[in-house]
Amino acid sequence: MMASSFALLLSLLSIPLFSVSSASSDSVPDFLQCLSDYSLPSYPISEAIYTPQNSSFSDVLQSYIRNLRFTTPETPKPLVIVAAKHESHVQATVICAKTHGLEIRIRSGGHDYEGLSYVSSVPFVVLDLFNLRSISIDIANETAWVQAGATLGELYYGIAEKSNVHGFPAGLCPTLGTGGHFTGGGYGTMMRKYGLSVDNIVDAQLVDVNGRILDRESMGEDLFWAIRGGGAASFGVVLSWKINLVRVPETVTVFKVERTLEEGATDIVSQWQEVASNLDEDLFIRLGLNSVNATGGGKTIKASFIALFLGQTDRLLALTNESFPKLGLQRKDCIEMRWVESHLFWFDIPKGTPVDVLLNRIPKGKIYLKRKSDYVKKPIPVEGLEVIWKAMMEIEKVGMAWNPYGGRMSEIPASATPFPHRAGNIFKIQYSANWQEAGINVTNNYLSLTRELHKVMTPFVSKLPREAFLNYRDIDIGNSKEGGLPAAAVYGKDYFKDNFERLVHIKTKVDPDNFFVNEQSIPPLLPYKI
């Protein structure tokens, strides 16, 4: 039944995926009245509403935009922002937006690389969750409830306040909102030991298309499966997650070793590819690659090996000396600290800085940026590395981060969650371009350079599909609002592989009219409203 239905979906590729909204600014008074009608006296929604006439509107909108590409005067702005302060505000926003034909965009931390959590091409409302950020930690049962607007920094700090031997496997950036980060998969330096964030989520609260609050039991296992890695914004609004905490040692070790081509980086990178996914699961070594100025003039490649080890220096040195000798790791390279402090290390914050810096919700500086992703299934030969180095030195302004897989990531079945990139991958690539200069010509140049390096990597990465990571949102691989179902079929397979079909069927069941929609959302099977 599923296969035949999915064949029907793909046979109707010429039909657009989204409702062409007739709503406009004229809908706003009715929408606002609807919100008021659904407001609870004990939790008045009026305090959470911002319109362009409100003096704080721009500040609220801009405060959680993490990519300056979407701060230009030409960027479409929401008709209304609802900065929900209570779950009833979320329910009212969903019900009233649906009633009055307004699209909603759901924002928790604002880190969507393509701005899909706060930008749309049709009249829309931003449902902002930054006020919903409570965290309740139960060390005795090794669990926690985390609201979707809480940041990773707040979560890590909260865990550390209660325990030095517990943590959670999630991302490195402390200002990431848990709502979006978890629902895209959520990976970090402990994924080889404990898997992804979604592999450690045991319950959730979700507002569905009818405004109901559902937990795991009431939403059912299909929907609970879908929101853990399939992009919950296609299915509803996540209010909170229940997570399993994981054990960490009282002392962990970090290091950063840098080598240029002149210092033997190519040989070290070659060995890293062979061993990084097979090392002890307590050890995660990320490889950063950038074009830099060479000492004698011209350009070279700097390879940065940055690591977290769930243990102390002596054991780490024994492991690397045996399994990764070309790195040449020395005791002086290693720094011991608490697990919570390791998150400061990854952001070059000096050791000894109070860990309450993790509570800062605003990044140190905003930038223009573009990201792309890839997966690699077999080591790239030296000849291939030399092709890559040459291209990077010519392009100059685009770097890469290679993140090792293996360990627990290879043990979890590809169908366990919508995130399918498990066994068979030795590392994941993130392409990264950052810039400070404004202007469309500058932006287009950086976008072009990023795409150029991505093209150079084509022979060395996964194929059919060319896999991509949902948390590294990349509109280049498909926009269903412009390309309809052909675009959805491409990005759906790239992000989710064979899990895309199950996601489509769940979407059809829980949101057949495609209310929860964006440029890369999961489409329902026909019929649906157009």
Side-chain angles (χ1 to χ4, degrees):
M1 180 66 179
M2 179 178 289
S4 61
S5 298
F6 197 71
L8 172 63
L9 171 70
L10 296 182
S11 71
L12 297 168
L13 294 179
S14 62
I15 300 178
L17 272 178
F18 58 95
S19 300
V20 180
S21 174
S22 60
S24 67
S25 58
D26 295 337
S27 306
V28 172
D30 291 338
F31 173 70
L32 295 176
Q33 182 60 52
C34 180
L35 292 179
S36 178
D37 292 343
Y38 278 93
S39 181
L40 299 178
S42 52
Y43 300 101
I45 199 170
S46 58
E47 300 174 358
I49 297 173
Y50 299 86
T51 67
Q53 290 71 43
N54 187 295
S55 60
S56 300
F57 176 85
S58 181
D59 288 342
V60 172
L61 177 62
Q62 299 286 337
S63 61
Y64 286 90
I65 293 179
R66 305 304 187 213
N67 187 347
L68 291 178
R69 286 169 52 204
F70 305 107
T71 59
T72 67
E74 296 76 26
T75 303
K77 306 299 188 294
L79 299 175
V80 180
I81 301 170
V82 181
K85 296 185 175 183
H86 186 260
E87 59 191 24
S88 63
H89 300 166
V90 177
Q91 293 174 283
T93 302
V94 170
I95 292 169
C96 294
K98 183 181 178 184
T99 299
H100 295 284
L102 291 168
E103 192 172 285
I104 66 170
R105 294 299 167 106
I106 306 157
R107 183 167 72 171
S108 59
H111 283 269
D112 188 297
Y113 288 147
E114 300 288 1
L116 302 192
S117 62
Y118 51 84
V119 177
S120 178
S121 58
V122 301
F124 71 106
V125 172
V126 167
L127 176 53
D128 220 328
L129 304 179
F130 66 86
N131 286 317
L132 300 178
R133 56 181 190 248
S134 71
I135 299 171
S136 177
I137 296 169
D138 182 351
I139 291 297
N141 291 304
E142 298 184 302
T143 61
W145 274 101
V146 186
Q147 284 193 308
T151 65
L152 294 186
E154 290 167 340
L155 174 60
Y156 298 155
Y157 180 84
I159 295 171
E161 276 198 311
K162 298 288 185 70
S163 170
N164 280 328
V165 293
H166 288 87
F168 187 72
L172 292 168
C173 178
T175 59
L176 283 170
T178 60
H181 180 65
F182 289 178
T183 194
Y187 91 97
T189 55
M190 293 200 294
M191 69 177 182
R192 302 190 64 252
K193 177 76 170 182
Y194 293 114
L196 304 175
S197 301
V198 292
D199 300 321
N200 297 276
I201 291 173
V202 294
D203 205 343
Q205 286 189 313
L206 174 93
V207 174
D208 75 354
V209 71
N210 297 311
R212 301 174 300 174
I213 296 178
L214 308 175
D215 62 9
R216 179 175 183 171
E217 181 178 1
S218 56
M219 76 175 73
E221 288 302 306
D222 274 351
L223 183 52
F224 183 64
W225 176 86
I227 64 175
R228 291 177 300 130
S234 293
F235 304 96
V237 184
V238 172
L239 295 174
S240 59
W241 306 99
K242 185 179 183 182
I243 61 175
N244 276 337
L245 305 181
V246 301
R247 295 291 183 95
V248 298
E250 289 189 4
T251 301
V252 304
T253 307
V254 296
F255 68 78
K256 182 177 184 179
V257 173
E258 297 179 334
R259 298 287 186 268
T260 64
L261 297 183
E262 294 74 19
E263 296 168 325
T266 300
D267 285 344
I268 305 173
V269 170
S270 291
Q271 188 172 68
W272 178 91
Q273 292 186 96
E274 298 287 348
V275 305
S277 62
N278 297 309
L279 291 168
D280 189 292
E281 63 184 13
D282 287 336
L283 179 55
F284 175 93
I285 306 177
R286 168 185 277 185
L287 169 59
L289 296 167
N290 291 280
S291 174
V292 298
N293 293 324
T295 302
K299 293 290 180 178
T300 189
I301 297 297
K302 180 175 70 175
S304 302
F305 301 87
I306 316 167
L308 170 72
F309 177 63
L310 298 174
Q312 297 181 352
T313 301
D314 288 345
R315 180 167 166 249
L316 170 61
L317 289 172
L319 285 172
T320 55
N321 288 340
E322 178 182 354
S323 301
F324 192 12
K326 289 189 177 181
L327 180 62
L329 186 67
Q330 301 179 43
R331 186 173 297 274
K332 66 180 178 63
D333 300 318
C334 303
I335 307 170
E336 294 185 345
M337 57 183 61
R338 292 184 296 152
W339 174 80
V340 69
E341 294 171 325
S342 71
H343 295 90
L344 279 60
F345 168 82
W346 284 85
F347 272 77
D348 293 322
I349 299 173
K351 184 180 181 182
T353 301
V355 294
D356 61 5
V357 70
L358 292 171
L359 300 178
N360 185 355
R361 298 177 65 87
I362 307 300
K364 287 188 294 185
K366 293 185 179 181
I367 55 174
Y368 297 84
L369 62 87
K370 173 64 180 177
R371 301 289 188 266
K372 297 178 78 67
S373 61
D374 261 319
Y375 283 87
V376 177
K377 298 182 180 296
K378 60 182 181 180
I380 301 169
V382 169
E383 296 79 7
L385 293 177
E386 290 173 348
V387 170
I388 296 168
W389 304 157
K390 182 175 183 293
M392 291 187 71
M393 287 185 283
E394 291 174 352
I395 292 170
E396 292 190 35
K397 299 175 181 179
V398 183
M400 288 189 284
W402 294 5
N403 298 282
Y405 272 45
R408 181 67 179 138
M409 290 296 290
S410 294
E411 298 169 356
I412 300 171
S415 60
T417 69
F419 178 95
H421 316 290
R422 305 286 189 170
N425 294 293
I426 59 174
F427 61 92
K428 174 183 63 185
I429 298 175
Q430 182 186 58
Y431 303 84
S432 177
N434 303 327
W435 64 99
Q436 294 288 349
E437 308 94 328
I440 187 63
N441 291 335
V442 174
T443 291
N444 286 340
N445 181 52
Y446 276 93
L447 296 181
S448 177
L449 292 174
T450 309
R451 292 163 184 156
E452 183 179 342
L453 182 57
H454 186 258
K455 183 178 180 180
V456 168
M457 295 296 294
T458 302
F460 312 116
V461 300
S462 61
K463 299 171 179 64
L464 299 174
R466 184 168 183 171
E467 299 174 36
F469 180 34
L470 180 61
N471 277 149
Y472 293 170
R473 178 84 70 183
D474 181 9
I475 204 71
D476 293 347
I477 63 175
N479 180 341
S480 61
K481 286 199 168 186
E482 294 179 356
L485 279 168
V490 172
Y491 68 68
K493 286 294 186 179
D494 288 358
Y495 287 141
F496 308 114
K497 299 179 69 177
D498 292 342
N499 293 333
F500 180 54
E501 297 184 21
R502 184 178 176 188
L503 288 167
V504 168
H505 281 266
I506 296 168
K507 170 73 170 183
T508 305
K509 180 179 178 181
V510 303
D511 183 21
D513 293 331
N514 208 25
F515 171 70
F516 291 111
V517 63
N518 62 54
E519 287 77 1
Q520 288 193 337
S521 55
I522 302 297
L525 287 164
L526 298 180
Y528 54 82
K529 294 181 181 179
I530 58 174

